[in-house]
């Protein structure tokens, strides 16, 4: 809550200085997720986003020491060590491992994005991006390579675990017909 309040203040100050804070949510996925009926804080640029999690890591969610920042895989860290989120559950489905009995899981999270740094580089400068989001004027990163690499998806990355709240744990089984 303290991190969200701080981000809200910083976003308000940015707006007073004439800088715009752009909502980067995909309208189609946002409309479906907004139907959950849980109000998101627009002032801190809070969004519904999915996060992949292994079945093993999901068992630790109820533990007091659960840390979403360490719940994911170590590979695929294109933007450095952070919490990777996406608008599309299908993107998560491609990356989460199958658990016992063929079950998979993912988290639907409330993510406080604040001021978002957009990067479209094919080979991003991790050090600069992390600095922009941890020591600069930005609170999160949007890795947006859609224009340069058609078919790729957008990655939202936050570097502070206090900006991501796992709201719903989704268990599912792939069914092929």
């Amino acid at each position: 809550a303290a991190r969200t309040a701080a981000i809200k203040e910083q976003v308000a100050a940015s707006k007073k200085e004439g800088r715009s804070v752009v909502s980067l949510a995909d309208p189609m996925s946002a409309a479906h997720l907004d139907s959950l009926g849980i109000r998101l804080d627009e002032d801190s640029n809070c969004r519904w986003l999915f996060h992949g999690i292994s079945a093993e890591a999901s068992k630790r969610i109820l533990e007091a020491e659960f840390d979403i920042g360490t719940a994911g895989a170590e590979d695929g860290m294109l933007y450095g060590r952070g919490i990777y989120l996406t608008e599309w559950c299908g993107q998560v489905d491609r990356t989460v491992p199958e658990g016992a009995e063929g079950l998979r899981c993912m988290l639907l999270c409330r993510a406080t994005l604040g001021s978002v740094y957009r990067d479209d580089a094919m080979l991003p400068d991790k050090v600069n991006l992390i600095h922009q989001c941890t020591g600069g004027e930005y609170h999160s990163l949007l890795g947006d390579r859609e224009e340069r690499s058609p078919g790729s998806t957008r990655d939202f990355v936050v570097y502070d675990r206090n900006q991501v709240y796992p709201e719903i744990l989704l268990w599912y089984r792939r069914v092929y017909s």
Side-chain angles (χ1 to χ4, degrees):
R3 178 70 176 143
T4 300
I7 289 173
K8 189 184 293 190
E9 287 177 21
Q10 292 167 355
V11 167
S14 291
K15 287 179 180 178
K16 281 184 182 176
E17 294 171 3
R19 291 182 284 168
S20 65
V21 177
V22 180
S23 171
L24 298 167
D26 178 79
M28 186 185 332
S29 61
H32 290 292
L33 296 172
D34 287 346
S35 69
L36 291 171
I38 301 171
R39 180 164 153 42
L40 297 178
D41 183 6
E42 295 289 328
D43 295 334
S44 62
N45 201 12
C46 189
R47 298 288 171 254
W48 288 115
L49 297 169
F50 293 97
H51 176 72
I53 185 170
S54 69
E56 188 61 36
S58 72
K59 295 175 185 173
R60 296 190 302 268
I61 287 178
L62 296 177
E63 297 174 9
E65 291 84 34
F66 175 72
D67 182 355
I68 190 171
T70 61
E74 293 293 323
D75 59 349
M77 299 285 187
L78 183 64
Y79 301 104
R81 185 127 178 91
I83 302 168
Y84 286 67
L85 303 141
T86 180
E87 301 153 302
W88 301 103
C89 62
Q91 181 180 351
V92 172
D93 178 62
R94 291 190 301 266
T95 62
V96 295
E98 189 172 284
E101 301 173 23
L103 291 174
R104 297 170 186 265
C105 56
M106 67 178 75
L107 294 169
L108 180 59
C109 302
R110 280 184 290 151
T112 301
L113 300 177
S115 294
V116 181
Y117 186 90
R118 184 180 175 274
D119 182 76
D120 65 354
M122 293 305 290
L123 295 171
D125 178 355
K126 291 181 191 182
V127 174
N128 177 51
L129 295 176
I130 293 169
H131 173 71
Q132 290 293 328
C133 297
T134 59
E137 64 184 81
Y138 298 96
H139 305 105
S140 61
L141 168 73
L142 169 62
D144 189 358
R145 299 181 319 272
E146 286 182 310
E147 289 178 21
R148 293 179 185 233
S149 178
S152 65
T153 54
R154 304 184 326 164
D155 293 309
F156 290 85
V157 185
V158 296
Y159 299 97
D160 183 336
R161 67 186 176 100
N162 294 312
Q163 289 177 237
V164 180
Y165 181 78
E167 189 78 48
I168 300 171
L169 174 64
L170 303 164
W171 284 92
Y172 65 99
R173 180 179 287 117
R174 285 183 180 169
V175 177
Y176 303 96
S177 51

